[in-house]
Amino acid sequence: MDNKEQLIKEKLPQHIAIIMDGNGRWAKRRALARIRGHQKGMEAVKEVVKSCRELGIKALTLYAFSQENWKRPKTEIKGLMRLLKSFIRSELAALKKNNIQVKSIGHLERLPEDVQAIVKDAIEDTKDNCGMVLNVALSYGGRDEILQAVAQIVQKARANNFSLAEINEEMFSRELYTAGLPDPDLLIRTSGEMRISNFLLWQLAYTEIYVTEVLWPDFKKQDLYKALIDYQKRQRRFGLTGEQIGDR
Ligand code: FPP
């Protein structure tokens, strides 16, 4: 059964962030190599990107590779980099056709040069697209992102001699990798873990969190709709009382 009809168009999130977890467990359950889980996970990425675009979601941020992931076995890292390249190679035409803008957050410069080149080309090739932002977190760490924002501000403070009172949330947000994007309204994490794993620490301050037991390679558009239906039932209060936001 399709649960898409239950969605209220006016109440869809603008920005969805996803921690795509469980590829390894998916493979292990089938006695396959971990990379096979990542391969299948890439199919889920395609389905979710397509579904978000169809729904008119404005931004989708995917946690594809964290800073901590560099500690994984070399063969797995190599396999993930290969998958990322093949994803861009095979999907770039479709991304362009669907007016999707590719962006990345994190230390892109730490990726192998061939991967960097292909990601940068995709970013450049899609920079004028305005249908949806597909934001891929690569060699990303939330604490590190905050620290580099602090460093930028200190540098600017020294150069321009501005006062501490001028430092506010807007100014800080402009120094983050996500500058220009709204904060995520919804964070989805697959495979049941209840943590945010150093993802978008600043930006998730008021984000609704949805955790599903479904492993990422098994995550289908119906699972996305389920998360969205759950999100639409929530009351987002941003620190206000229920009465203040019109709840009776
Ligand atoms: C977490 O599963 C998944 C990752 C670290 C990588 C996600 C990568 C992809 C889905 C493929 C490529 C991505 C793009 C955007 C093209 P895990 O290995 O931590 O699973 P486990 O916790 O079960 O071991």
Side-chain angles (χ1 to χ4, degrees), residues 20-26 34 38 41-42 45 62-64 69 72 76 80 83-84 87 136 216:
M20 310 179 288
D21 197 11
N23 295 350
R25 273 161 282 175
W26 184 92
R34 292 179 59 84
H38 296 314
M42 203 168 90
V45 169
L62 300 177
Y63 207 2
N69 287 154
R72 291 197 174 193
E76 184 172 344
L80 276 167
L83 274 182
L84 185 64
F87 173 81
V136 189
W216 178 251

Side-chain angles (χ1 to χ4, degrees), residues 26-242:
W26 184 92
K28 198 170 175 199
R29 283 182 198 171
R30 288 161 181 79
L32 297 169
R34 292 179 59 84
I35 197 66
R36 295 286 300 280
H38 296 314
Q39 254 164 11
K40 183 84 169 116
M42 203 168 90
E43 296 308 311
V45 169
K46 290 181 197 169
E47 179 157 337
V48 166
V49 171
K50 187 164 176 266
S51 307
C52 285
R53 178 68 187 103
E54 279 167 8
L55 288 169
I57 304 295
K58 282 291 153 207
L60 174 65
T61 298
L62 300 177
Y63 207 2
F65 196 82
S66 73
Q67 255 179 5
E68 291 71 31
N69 287 154
W70 289 115
K71 295 181 203 135
R72 291 197 174 193
K74 290 261 171 320
T75 47
E76 184 172 344
I77 296 175
K78 266 194 175 162
L80 276 167
M81 294 299 146
R82 206 175 304 128
L83 274 182
L84 185 64
K85 277 202 298 189
S86 95
F87 173 81
I88 295 177
R89 273 204 197 110
S90 68
E91 295 308 301
L92 189 59
L95 293 169
K96 282 184 172 165
K97 189 165 145 245
N98 288 291
N99 199 15
I100 296 173
Q101 183 186 15
V102 178
K103 283 190 169 197
S104 83
I105 56 173
H107 286 284
L108 193 57
E109 79 286 356
R110 291 188 189 159
L111 267 57
E113 277 182 14
D114 55 336
V115 184
Q116 276 184 53
I118 200 161
V119 175
K120 283 182 189 159
D121 284 351
I123 293 171
E124 179 60 27
D125 267 10
T126 60
K127 70 175 188 311
D128 297 323
N129 293 353
C130 56
M132 179 175 94
V133 172
L134 171 60
N135 194 26
V136 189
L138 294 167
S139 194
Y140 174 86
R143 286 187 176 177
D144 176 82
E145 179 183 33
I146 290 172
L147 280 182
Q148 70 84 33
V150 171
Q152 296 279 348
I153 290 176
V154 171
Q155 204 173 38
K156 285 185 184 169
R158 280 190 187 142
N160 307 322
N161 212 6
F162 61 72
S163 76
L164 289 184
E166 287 173 67
I167 301 175
N168 58 30
E169 293 188 9
E170 280 72 45
M171 179 207 247
F172 196 83
S173 298
R174 280 201 297 274
E175 303 300 337
L176 297 171
Y177 291 125
T178 48
L181 282 179
D183 288 340
D185 304 291
L186 172 64
L187 170 72
I188 298 174
R189 181 167 189 148
T190 57
S191 91
E193 242 80 60
M194 303 280 188
R195 344 177 240 279
I196 52 175
S197 302
N198 204 15
F199 190 41
L200 302 174
L201 295 181
W202 172 276
Q203 298 89 335
L204 294 177
Y206 288 101
T207 303
E208 294 295 328
I209 301 178
Y210 176 87
V211 177
T212 171
E213 290 294 326
V214 175
L215 304 178
W216 178 251
D218 291 327
F219 194 86
K220 300 280 177 296
K221 64 180 181 202
Q222 292 301 326
D223 300 295
L224 175 70
Y225 301 155
K226 227 165 131 181
L228 290 169
I229 291 164
D230 191 273
Y231 166 83
Q232 295 193 326
K233 289 190 194 130
R234 315 256 184 111
Q235 185 191 50
R236 302 189 72 196
R237 292 211 293 265
F238 301 97
L240 302 178
T241 68

